[in-house]
Amino acid sequence: MMKPMIILTALAVAAPAAAQQSFAAPEGCEAVLTVQNKGCVMTNVWQCAADDAGDQWIALITQAGVFSVQKVDAEFQWVEAYKVTGNERLITPAEDAASLTTLFDTQIDTWDFTLETEDGTERNVGFDMLTGETTEIDGEILLNTEYQGRTIDGDGNVIDASSGRQFVSEEHRLFFFGESWPDENPAQVIDMSPVEFIYPGEPGFFADAPLYECNVIESGFRP
């Protein structure tokens, strides 16, 4: 359960503000995974000793730099995020909290939660559903999902309505991008599927720039 349509729109406007930086995991934290995706996007994932069990941090990086650093919990709830477009925080308790446990146990998980942003509240409503199929990418066995979601501002206006197919890992308890499209134009498909999964000690681990389907621009971030 991720928001690729909103993310890519924001990246086109705001990503250059994060350029000319370098990347490293914070002190007291352990870098655990790098994922290189299609669409000139990559992620670095780390865990911190001071956090609750199961919490993970995810940095989303484009060729122009880091777009966001986001904290998720063991159920993949979006706890907080720090973005070039403004910070976000989950308002708890959620009306219908996102739950990987429910998704894995019942094949479907609905969600209805609200984020406090610098521009007001954003309510996110939708579902993730397992298709029953798996995909192997770079040695990783991923469960295939389908999703639909809407993001609604504090005035009740729908600012994003999209659907798509993504991937989720039982091992990592993380979602990964796949294909997505706006509901108003299903032909406008964006593919940010994973290409490489890179672990500590392997070439390219915790890199600071995406590799696939992009031009070369120096980028990175240090939390």
Side-chain angles (χ1 to χ4, degrees):
M1 173 258 301
M2 305 179 82
K3 297 191 288 186
M5 299 307 300
I6 280 184
I7 285 171
L8 285 189
T9 300
L11 288 177
V13 175
Q20 307 278 330
Q21 300 169 348
S22 59
F23 199 96
E27 184 177 354
C29 303
E30 179 184 7
V32 296
L33 179 66
T34 291
V35 182
Q36 290 280 0
N37 300 334
K38 297 178 181 178
C40 196
V41 172
M42 65 167 289
T43 57
N44 283 331
V45 182
W46 63 91
Q47 300 168 348
C48 300
D51 290 337
D52 293 335
D55 287 356
Q56 301 189 78
W57 292 85
I58 305 168
L60 178 65
I61 305 170
T62 74
Q63 64 180 343
V66 170
F67 170 67
S68 70
V69 175
Q70 181 175 8
K71 183 181 183 180
V72 299
D73 67 10
E75 297 297 339
F76 208 85
Q77 292 190 96
W78 304 340
V79 179
E80 55 188 292
Y82 305 92
K83 301 181 177 181
V84 295
T85 53
N87 301 333
E88 300 175 349
R89 179 185 60 84
L90 177 68
I91 297 176
T92 57
E95 184 71 24
D96 179 8
S99 173
L100 280 178
T101 299
T102 299
L103 179 63
F104 295 147
D105 287 348
T106 69
Q107 316 304 305
I108 190 169
D109 176 49
T110 59
W111 29 269
D112 183 347
F113 63 89
T114 301
L115 299 174
E116 183 68 43
T117 78
E118 295 183 4
D119 296 322
T121 59
E122 288 186 357
R123 181 184 176 196
N124 293 270
V125 182
F127 70 87
D128 295 292
M129 179 177 64
L130 297 180
T131 68
E133 299 177 339
T134 61
T135 299
E136 182 175 351
I137 300 176
D138 195 28
E140 299 282 331
I141 303 299
L142 306 174
L143 305 181
N144 293 21
T145 76
E146 296 179 353
Y147 81 90
Q148 289 184 339
R150 291 178 296 140
T151 300
I152 305 164
D153 68 17
D155 295 324
N157 301 308
V158 176
I159 57 178
D160 177 73
S162 59
S163 304
R165 296 179 286 267
Q166 297 186 328
F167 306 98
V168 66
S169 168
E170 290 184 282
E171 176 184 358
H172 297 295
R173 295 189 72 84
L174 292 173
F175 279 92
F176 299 104
F177 290 123
E179 296 180 334
S180 61
W181 52 86
D183 288 350
E184 63 185 17
N185 185 8
Q188 186 184 338
V189 178
I190 297 172
D191 188 357
M192 297 194 298
S193 299
V195 178
E196 289 186 88
F197 288 81
I198 307 168
Y199 289 92
E202 296 180 346
F205 178 70
F206 247 59
D208 63 359
L211 295 177
Y212 297 98
E213 301 181 346
C214 53
N215 299 320
V216 178
I217 299 178
E218 293 183 3
S219 62
F221 180 67
R222 182 177 298 276

